[in-house]
Amino acid sequence: MKKMSLIILAVVMLSACLKLDFEPIDAYSPATFFTSREAAISNLASVYQSTQMSGFFDDGNAMLMDDITDNAYCPFPNQLIHFIAKGSATPFMANLYVDLYRSYFKYAGIRNANYFLENIDKVPIDVSEKSQMKAEARFLRAFNYARKMMCFGGVPLVTKVLQYGEETKIPRSTEAEITTFIVNELAEISQDLPVVRPADERGRITKGAALALKARVELFAKDYKNAAIDAKAVIDLNSYDLYSDFEGMFWEVNQDNPERNKEVILEVCYKSPTYSSAIDPFYTVEEGGWNSINPTQSLVDAFETINGKAITDDPTYNSENPYQNRDPRLAASVIFPGQQWNGRIFNSLEVVGTVDEYYNSSKGNRSKTGYCLRKYCAPLDKLTNKSPAEAQGLNFTVIRYSEVLLTYAEALIEQNKELDLAKAAINKVRARVNMPPLTETDQAGLRQRVRNERRVELAFEGLRWYDIKRWDIGETVMNGKVYGVRPGTVNMATGEVTFSSPDHIVVGDIRVFNVNRDYYFPIPQEDIDANAALQGHQNPNW
């Protein structure tokens, strides 16, 4: 029987202003809905859909997670991420736009996974295929719990379909209990998942995805021994490699490139125009975008010089020509003043003719830092949000091979063992963009380098907040002013930037990070009000 693809079964937001709620699959009787292989796949698709691993909107805000870190700034005060970043969010703010609290605490995906697992045995299909489908559902449930654990700590652990009223009586399990559940699930299901998938099953879970997620969770939990073991297991599958074009890795036009797909371990797939990805929030204003992610000066400064040194350590770095001779990932990730972008010289320092990209414009959707997102944003014509032809099929990569290499490196470094292998893994990531190899040989030096490497390699992929939490650096990097570009002018013929002040602009309110509170999201107050077992068990100091 022909395989049925789950390629288009990702959560899709067709508009930045529209939130979609999907009907639960348990609205149907198992006797009528679990009758055939096609019905089983339809149910499994609902589990994929409601897990929502996407990097765009609704329950998948991975890209926008960088707005609550030192990587980026959210300019819109109608979004919860704006208040999280400046330290003024509350548990009662569970209905603001781009709501990480409410959307990440939802249990729809877990409920659908439990429902699928309790009913799939009714379907008369091959035992091996059934085992594989169960493993997929269990992976998606584990992914959902991993995100909850990393954001909230301990949460209610639900592994069965609840009867009416039971949901109000389930207490929180501890963070350690949730972590143990996740890693045990992933260890078991990795045995039932294929190493590779055929093209028409792109987007479905593989053995590599299970092991890579397990390594991610173990790294977060500081279980460095097992994180290194599982990352190495992914490497030893010999199924993955780095795509030679770092910028092209995130462009839709390359999504069918076999070399590019060797780097992809797990992605949410779209098929436009019926199932399209919402990209307009991330584009510059001139293209019709909303600049929902404003890169910070802190992130720009984190990219090394082309000599492989921090800008503070390289005497060749020219502060009056700061964007030249830098790590190529800077120009591939961030649009900066004077850069060639989409057929023009980008100028965020002033109003140029009818093109108003000035960071201090009265128009609310200009980048407030003077920097714009380039990652994911391939050059295109102006968006109008009206024509299906404009719909994008840009997939969001949930896990890719470079993360696994850096996880392997960090896990070894933290154990202070096999540092030569750790350095080799980092150097492989750097070599893709022709950055020079590291020279450090000690634990402290390599720890600093791998942390910066994760920041610049994985910027805007939704992992920075978890890194900040794991490294316990929130108090250092998330307190104080947010800086953007220096004022000046741009020569629109050459792109040369002339700065008028040595000082960088200050963006928005001063951020405040409470180290005794802000490493955990608060449980939304409406969920506490609805569940007697949660009352009195809010995260500390919320």
Side-chain angles (χ1 to χ4, degrees), residues 240-398:
Y240 305 105
D241 203 352
L242 298 179
Y243 181 35
S244 59
D245 181 1
F246 176 79
E247 183 174 22
M249 176 77 205
F250 307 95
W251 286 10
E252 181 185 358
V253 69
N254 296 320
Q255 284 177 176
D256 293 326
N257 184 314
E259 184 194 356
R260 180 260 182 195
N261 291 330
K262 289 276 284 184
E263 183 164 352
V264 176
I265 296 177
L266 178 62
E267 66 182 342
V268 176
C269 297
Y270 296 85
K271 184 178 180 180
S272 63
T274 307
Y275 297 93
S276 59
S277 51
I279 60 165
D280 54 303
F282 310 114
Y283 269 91
T284 58
V285 175
E286 182 64 11
E287 279 70 40
W290 287 88
N291 279 316
S292 292
I293 298 175
N294 297 179
T296 62
Q297 188 65 47
S298 172
L299 174 62
V300 170
D301 289 346
F303 289 88
E304 299 170 359
T305 69
I306 199 67
N307 298 318
K309 297 180 179 181
I311 61 173
T312 53
D313 297 334
D314 191 340
T316 69
Y317 171 72
N318 181 359
S319 61
E320 298 305 309
N321 195 11
Y323 311 119
Q324 301 302 309
N325 299 318
R326 300 289 292 277
D327 182 332
R329 288 172 292 190
L330 171 59
S333 304
V334 175
I335 310 174
F336 48 75
Q339 186 180 26
Q340 283 282 346
W341 164 244
N342 206 11
R344 67 182 187 276
I345 291 176
F346 180 74
N347 185 353
S348 59
L349 304 184
E350 54 195 318
V351 177
V352 182
T354 59
V355 180
D356 182 3
E357 294 172 332
Y358 184 42
Y359 60 81
N360 201 29
S361 169
S362 60
K363 297 182 179 180
N365 56 335
R366 269 53 180 173
S367 171
K368 301 301 185 292
T369 63
Y371 298 113
C372 294
L373 184 67
R374 180 155 181 165
K375 204 173 203 178
Y376 308 103
C377 298
L380 49 61
D381 294 333
K382 188 175 179 66
L383 293 161
T384 65
N385 296 314
K386 295 179 181 179
S387 170
E390 292 176 349
Q392 299 291 302
L394 178 63
N395 297 345
F396 179 75
T397 303
V398 181

Side-chain angles (χ1 to χ4, degrees), residues 142 145-146 148-149 153-159 170-185 217 221:
Y145 273 118
K148 285 174 169 52
M149 179 273 294
V155 295
L157 179 59
V158 182
T159 58
I170 301 178
R172 295 177 70 176
S173 295
T174 66
E175 182 173 339
E177 288 169 340
I178 298 295
T179 301
T180 298
F181 172 79
I182 295 164
V183 298
N184 287 345
E185 284 285 282
V217 170

